[in-house]
Amino acid sequence: MSQKIDLDTTAVIFRPVLIRAGVAALFGIATFFIQTPSDAVVNYGSAIFFLFSGSAMWEYLRRDPVPEAMRTPLSLMAALWMLAALTLVGVQLGGVSPTVTWIVIAAALGLSGIAELWAFAWHKVFGPARDHLIAGIAGIAVSGILVFVQNLDYHRIFGITGTYALVVAILVGISGIGYWLDTRKAVKEEGYVPPEA
């Protein structure tokens, strides 16, 4: 239970948090089941993952409880993910090698990981910012793995990126479900009326 986070905050942010977790879970599960991905599957699949993750982050950062100063790193994350999505579509349409694919994904995850750690700096003022610590570390770690692993083919790129997505899905999903349960409990037991999102 998120006792230190007020209900007006949990009621407003649980939806975008759960959307981010759902997007990550769908992508992570897809990478698990697609064992021999083609270049199109990796590029377009990763682009869709980044596009919807960026959209979910945009929905999250524009909520009223999010501190104004914290919106800068969150905006950077959303913009990086959207730019990565566009770049991966261009990589696929241009028929470029897997090297460019892993460079784009590594750059997007590494830079967004740094932005998530920056967003974590507000955890004492805004409790949900705690969720960004492990997600940021995971983004930086996966970026490093993509950089240092030799002979990356599409299968490895997809699997490594999918692992990041599953970590984020679990971490963010647990938080989102906790926020939703706290809000739901207050509505049922205390007659709490959530603010409009």
Side-chain angles (χ1 to χ4, degrees):
M1 209 161 129
S2 37
Q3 296 171 352
K4 295 184 181 181
I5 302 173
D6 69 77
L7 288 172
D8 287 343
T9 299
T10 61
V12 172
I13 67 166
F14 79 83
R15 282 183 188 88
V17 169
L18 286 175
I19 291 170
R20 180 181 179 196
V23 168
L26 289 173
F27 179 73
I29 291 168
T31 64
F32 180 76
F33 285 111
I34 302 172
Q35 292 297 311
T36 54
S38 66
D39 57 341
V41 169
V42 175
N43 286 320
Y44 290 141
S46 299
I48 291 168
F49 168 63
F50 282 125
L51 178 69
F52 286 118
S53 293
S55 297
M57 185 55 64
W58 182 255
E59 282 301 311
Y60 174 80
L61 73 90
R62 67 182 197 86
R63 303 297 173 159
D64 285 335
V66 177
E68 194 70 34
M70 188 178 157
R71 293 178 186 192
T72 300
L74 298 177
S75 296
L76 286 173
M77 288 170 50
L80 281 166
W81 289 339
M82 298 289 190
L83 181 61
L86 289 172
T87 306
L88 288 168
V89 169
V91 165
Q92 179 59 36
L93 294 176
V96 186
S97 74
T99 303
V100 179
T101 299
W102 73 253
I103 289 171
V104 170
I105 293 172
L109 293 180
L111 293 172
S112 68
I114 292 169
E116 288 214 66
L117 292 180
W118 182 11
F120 171 73
W122 281 272
H123 72 279
K124 291 184 180 177
V125 178
F126 184 64
R130 294 181 296 221
D131 299 339
H132 297 290
L133 176 64
I134 296 174
I137 292 170
I140 293 168
V142 167
S143 176
I145 290 169
L146 286 168
V147 169
F148 292 111
V149 170
Q150 299 294 316
N151 302 321
L152 282 172
D153 59 1
Y154 287 112
H155 174 76
R156 289 180 181 170
I157 295 168
F158 208 46
I160 293 168
T161 309
T163 301
Y164 163 79
L166 289 173
V167 168
V168 168
I170 292 167
L171 170 77
V172 175
I174 289 170
S175 294
I177 290 169
Y179 301 149
W180 174 69
L181 289 174
D182 287 350
T183 304
R184 185 172 158 231
K185 179 181 176 185
V187 167
K188 285 187 176 187
E189 294 178 5
E190 302 166 18
Y192 170 72
V193 178
E196 294 292 320

